[in-house]
Amino acid sequence: MKLILVGAPGAGKGTQAEKLIEKLGIPSISTGNILREHLKKGTELGEKARGFMESGALVPDDLIVDMLKARLSEPDCKEGYILDGYPRTVRQAEALKEMGAGIDRVVSIETDDESIIRRISGRRLCKNCGASYNLLFNKPEKDGVCSKCGSPLIQRDDDREETVRARLEVFHRQTEPVKAYYEKEGILLRVDGTGDIPDVTKKIFDALGLSE
Ligand code: AP5
Ligand code: MG
Ligand code: ZN
């Protein structure tokens, strides 16, 4: 199974990808997470991407396409994968097709901008394993500490409100057309992403014909 999760920043792509990994036993590839690793390590790609990410803009397509191509050629992608946060432009969708990816389904997690701002301001991430929590909707067992590995929780640099608003604007302008692209291909599934986390998981599983 090759799946794409598309949705606004904070729509729940990463959260729902974790549920799908458990169910389907295939890896999830988040271009955002790969980029943040590059920033942390201070690689050349990381340095090129930094300014774009900090302002909430998209990183240029050619950098992203090369990075994704390399990741998809790794052996764990043979049986399928979930793409979280790629493609974000029609050009990226075309590049994926040129790679011969053969995507089965595209799940669009549909939300409204105001719930996004609330969700993102509460988001905290584990510094060590990257697990995602929310101070309002998905608390860790112990304040400020990862329930999975015990490391401290931190806030993402681009999760300040004005950057979130910029990311939302970029989503509407540059990524919404990607949904139309897949709608035309007949593989787009729209799922209401405004309920609580288990509720949205159920809707995604139903849309994909998976049992819980
Ligand atoms: P990326 O890391 O992909 O960020 P994003 O798309 O802005 O999405 P988020 O990770 O913020 O949201 P999410 O949908 O994963 O939500 P989550 O599950 O965490 O990209 C970052 C940057 O990298 C971009 O701005 C760009 O610069 C660059 N980049 C990345 N990919 C690129 C590409 N392909 N091309 C160009 N540039 C690229 O949920 C959010 C919070 O809400 C969490 O706290 C969660 O616990 C909570 N939550 C989730 N679901 C629910 C629910 N149903 N109810 C209540 N709370 C919920
Ligand atoms: Mg994410
Ligand atoms: Zn952790």
Side-chain angles (χ1 to χ4, degrees), residues 27-53:
S28 159
I29 297 162
S30 157
T31 44
N33 287 350
I34 301 175
L35 288 167
R36 279 184 289 280
E37 281 298 312
H38 279 278
L39 291 193
K40 217 159 62 182
K41 292 184 191 145
T43 66
E44 198 186 327
L45 173 58
E47 289 318 313
K48 283 184 186 155
R50 188 182 301 277
F52 297 103
M53 292 179 75

Side-chain angles (χ1 to χ4, degrees), residues 21-201:
I21 294 173
E22 277 170 36
K23 180 71 193 173
L24 298 170
I26 52 179
S28 159
I29 297 162
S30 157
T31 44
N33 287 350
I34 301 175
L35 288 167
R36 279 184 289 280
E37 281 298 312
H38 279 278
L39 291 193
K40 217 159 62 182
K41 292 184 191 145
T43 66
E44 198 186 327
L45 173 58
E47 289 318 313
K48 283 184 186 155
R50 188 182 301 277
F52 297 103
M53 292 179 75
E54 281 173 357
S55 67
L58 294 182
V59 175
D61 287 338
D62 49 341
L63 296 179
I64 296 289
V65 169
D66 287 347
M67 183 183 93
L68 185 85
K69 224 184 242 172
R71 180 64 186 88
L72 293 186
S73 69
E74 286 176 34
D76 64 329
C77 292
K78 276 217 181 78
E79 305 298 322
Y81 45 78
I82 303 155
L83 293 179
D84 158 3
Y86 182 100
R88 278 185 139 85
T89 62
V90 171
R91 178 65 206 117
Q92 291 182 18
E94 288 166 351
L96 190 62
K97 194 169 195 177
E98 286 156 19
M99 289 176 219
I103 298 299
D104 297 294
R105 288 279 181 270
V106 179
V107 176
S108 167
I109 307 178
E110 314 249 316
T111 44
D112 60 276
D113 290 4
E114 285 318 305
S115 11
I116 293 298
I117 308 270
R118 256 196 324 273
R119 281 184 194 180
I120 291 194
S121 54
R123 171 164 57 189
R124 295 295 180 276
L125 300 170
C126 172
K127 207 176 160 173
N128 173 46
C129 76
S132 175
Y133 300 91
N134 195 290
L135 302 184
L136 298 171
F137 307 110
N138 179 25
K139 286 191 200 164
E141 282 153 25
K142 213 175 127 198
D143 279 354
V145 179
C146 178
S147 310
K148 289 186 182 155
C149 78
S151 301
L153 302 182
I154 52 167
Q155 190 169 25
R156 248 169 68 173
D157 289 339
D158 59 350
D159 278 355
R160 282 171 302 121
E161 183 167 334
E162 71 266 27
T163 316
V164 174
R165 292 200 186 271
R167 283 158 60 201
L168 273 169
E169 204 269 316
V170 164
F171 170 76
H172 292 306
R173 191 161 35 86
Q174 294 184 272
T175 306
E176 294 269 14
V178 171
K179 295 200 298 193
Y181 175 93
Y182 287 117
E183 189 145 54
K184 235 162 107 199
E185 302 230 318
I187 56 172
L188 184 78
L189 301 167
R190 289 177 196 269
V191 170
D192 174 13
T194 56
D196 63 15
I197 294 171
D199 193 44
V200 177
T201 305

